[in-house]
């Protein structure tokens, strides 16, 4: 089984979408997919209603997910750790214990062949259109990820 962790800051907007989207593209007996936030502000909360809604519009249910905080043990539990932006990257990598941990951490938009696309924008203070843009970015990136892991 291949284990994949999606990471953002709050684990209520971007990484729950990334988890739901990648899960829809990979068969569950072979892949375990989860998400976490580097922050602890929303631990135990469901995804932001705007993430639930944009997922539902694309026929995905992410409403059952609950936010949790990234922990050092996640380096042992997961084979791949995909972060949404450079800030998440720094926050995860600074907790790494050795090079093996660091090697698991990748920015998800690095899978898209577009040097302009570096960070999945944080849509928390944005409108519904921002959430749709995040969905489209993650759908494209997860398609490439699903073929390369
Ligand atoms: P996320 O978005 O990292 O995509 O879940 C955020 C959600 C909440 C906050 C920041 C980002 N916050 O500061 O509460």
């Amino acid at each position: 089984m291949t284990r994949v962790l999606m990471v953002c800051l709050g684990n209520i907007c971007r990484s729950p979408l990334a988890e739901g989207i990648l899960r829809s593209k990979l068969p569950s007996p072979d892949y375990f997919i989860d998400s976490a936030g580097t922050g602890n502000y929303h631990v135990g909360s469901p995804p932001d209603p705007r993430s639930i809604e944009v997922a539902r519009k694309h026929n995905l249910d992410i409403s059952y997910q609950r936010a949790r905080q990234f922990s050092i043990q996640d380096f042992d539990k997961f084979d791949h750790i995909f972060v949404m932006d450079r800030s998440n990257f720094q926050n995860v990598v600074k907790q790494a214990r050795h090079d093996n941990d660091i090697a698991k951490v990748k920015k998800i938009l690095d899978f898209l062949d577009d040097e302009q696309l570096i960070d999945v924008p944080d849509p928390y203070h944005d409108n519904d259109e921002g959430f749709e843009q995040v969905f489209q970015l993650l759908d494209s990136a997860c398609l490439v990820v699903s073929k390369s892991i």
Side-chain angles (χ1 to χ4, degrees):
M1 163 136 47
T2 302
R3 295 176 173 83
V4 181
L5 183 66
M6 299 294 191
V7 175
C8 63
L9 173 58
N11 193 208
I12 56 167
C13 295
R14 292 166 292 177
S15 59
L17 279 172
E19 175 187 334
I21 292 167
L22 189 64
R23 187 175 288 136
S24 75
K25 298 185 190 302
L26 291 172
S28 59
D30 299 334
Y31 292 88
F32 175 72
I33 299 155
D34 193 13
S35 64
T38 58
N40 64 359
Y41 332 101
H42 299 281
V43 168
S45 299
D48 186 286
R50 297 164 295 177
S51 281
I52 293 176
E53 177 58 20
V54 76
R56 192 200 58 73
K57 262 175 55 188
H58 294 277
N59 297 313
L60 293 180
D61 179 17
I62 63 166
S63 63
Y64 60 89
Q65 295 183 29
R66 294 296 177 266
R68 72 172 180 88
Q69 189 172 23
F70 178 83
S71 81
I72 290 173
Q73 287 71 41
D74 287 320
F75 286 116
D76 300 321
K77 292 183 189 150
F78 292 91
D79 305 298
H80 303 279
I81 299 171
F82 297 119
V83 297
M84 300 297 120
D85 64 26
R86 284 169 285 190
S87 165
N88 309 149
F89 186 86
Q90 290 300 330
N91 285 326
V92 169
V93 161
K94 76 181 179 202
Q95 300 182 58
R97 301 153 299 182
H98 40 65
D99 287 353
N100 252 12
D101 289 351
I102 296 174
K104 294 182 177 183
V105 189
K106 296 187 179 116
K107 296 197 298 300
I108 193 160
L109 292 191
D110 286 351
F111 285 79
L112 293 180
D113 219 4
D114 185 340
E115 283 177 13
Q116 315 266 14
L117 296 175
I118 300 168
D119 298 325
V120 180
D122 180 350
Y124 191 56
H125 298 290
D126 207 341
N127 55 20
D128 291 350
E129 201 179 315
F131 279 77
E132 177 63 29
Q133 282 166 8
V134 164
F135 186 95
Q136 294 301 335
L137 273 175
L138 289 174
D139 195 48
S140 303
C142 285
L143 184 61
V144 181
V145 165
S146 72
K147 292 173 177 168
S148 61
I149 60 173

